[in-house]
Structure formats: structure tokens, C-alpha cells
Amino acid sequence: MERKVVAVCAVVGFLGVLSAALGFAAEATRVKVSDVQTDSPGECIYPRSPALALGLISAVCLMLAHSVINTVAGCICCKRHPVPSDTNWSVALISFIISWCTFIIAFLLLLTGAALNDQRGAENMYFGSFCYVVKPGVFSGGAVLSLASVALAIVYYVALSSSKSPPPTFATPRPQNQGIAMGQPVIPQQSSEPVFVHEDTYNRQQFP
């Protein structure tokens, strides 16, 4: 494997792991029902929580990871492969599609969780008697999907790089003595029968 492929996979993998870790950290620090106070009638008092910043940074890391992998590898939809039945090409195509689907879902979950967690201080109750909090599993679901999305993106890049490499060529040995006919010389057989010459021909040759 080339050094470029290893370096890109290492950077993208680090961003994916960082995005997932921040997503799980946002899940652990999100505002829970027990954290909300309802001292005043009709108001919900929310505490400060780092889940907003953690969710946003997690979404940014996920977006950076996909930006790097797609900038280096390019879009597979805009390329034509000479051998459509290639296994690496099929794996790259499937990984590319699933990676983008999981990326969109993870990105939306992280952004939605961060936006809904952006509540500080006193807020009016929803529908008169409800205090809204982010449901459990929003950030963690985004973290799991972000990790899966980055892993599939790496598989896509490695498979696409493998399909681009030319197949190994083996030199065929050239036959020796090419173009030289091998054989024995053929000597025509001499006839042992006597040759008769007409008398007139002999006389003309002697006396012109």
C-alpha cells in the first residue's frame, strides 16, 4: 500500500474517532429531565451544558473527514471504470453509497441534538406544561453512524485505489535463435547416366 493511502486513511480515521468520541461525550453531558427545574409556574430553567459545543465539533470533524476522503479519492459517480466486473470497483461503489447515507443521518442527528440542547436559563413551557429535553440516544446514534460512515469511506478509498493500480505484467521469454532456420544443406544428387550430344551441335561449336 502506498504511503499516500496510509496517510490519508490515518488522518480520516483520526477525525472519525474524534467525531465519535465527541458525540458520546455530548450524550453523556446533555441536559436530562432531572436537570431541568420548574420553580416558576410556566417556566423551565435549564442548566448550562457543554453538549452544544461537543455536538457541533463532532459534526464538523465528521464533515472534515468526508471532505478529505472525497477530495483525494474523487467522486466515483464521475468516473468510468474499464472493467465494471472488478471486485474492488464493486466494493468501492457499495461503500461509497452507504457511507454517504450514514454520513447524512449522523450529521443531521448531531446538529439536531446540538440545536435542541441550546437552551439556557428560563424558557417558557411547551404547550403550557412541558419542558423539552433531547431524547436519549440522539448523540450516541450520531456518534455510531459517524464512525461507521468514516470506516466505509476508508474502505471506499482503499478499494478505489486498488482498482486504479495496473495489473502486474510478466515478461514472456523470447525464443532463442529467432528468425534463423536450422537445418542441413541439401546437395542435389548427380546423375550417373551418360549425356549424349548431337553430332551437329558439336560440329557447330568447333567450326563456326
Side-chain angles (χ1 to χ4, degrees), residues 101-204:
C101 293
T102 52
F103 164 74
I104 294 173
I105 299 174
F107 192 74
L108 291 177
L109 285 176
L110 293 173
L111 286 184
T112 303
L116 294 178
N117 207 79
D118 186 21
Q119 294 176 344
R120 298 184 300 271
E123 298 285 345
N124 293 327
M125 289 187 176
Y126 294 89
F127 302 105
S129 59
F130 293 97
C131 296
Y132 190 83
V133 294
V134 179
K135 292 183 179 180
V138 175
F139 285 112
S140 59
V144 172
L145 288 177
S146 65
L147 193 61
S149 177
V150 171
L152 289 171
I154 293 176
V155 172
Y156 152 69
Y157 176 57
V158 173
L160 189 63
S161 301
S162 300
S163 64
K164 286 181 181 179
S165 59
T169 57
F170 300 96
T172 56
R174 299 180 59 184
Q176 298 180 356
N177 300 328
Q178 185 176 5
I180 302 176
M182 303 298 294
Q184 296 179 354
V186 179
I187 302 176
Q189 297 181 358
Q190 297 181 358
S191 177
S192 59
E193 297 180 357
V195 179
F196 297 94
V197 180
H198 197 270
E199 183 179 1
D200 295 337
T201 304
Y202 179 75
N203 292 333
R204 283 196 295 269

Side-chain angles (χ1 to χ4, degrees), residues 16-74:
V17 173
L18 181 60
S19 175
L22 292 173
F24 286 118
E27 177 70 24
T29 58
R30 66 180 178 85
V31 176
K32 303 175 181 62
V33 178
S34 59
D35 299 331
V36 181
Q37 299 178 2
T38 57
D39 296 336
S40 302
E43 287 185 352
C44 303
I45 302 176
Y46 294 91
R48 285 183 169 272
S49 173
L52 171 63
L54 293 174
L56 290 177
I57 298 174
S58 176
V60 170
C61 290
L62 177 60
M63 185 174 60
L64 286 176
H66 272 269
S67 299
V68 171
I69 204 78
N70 286 280
T71 301
V72 176

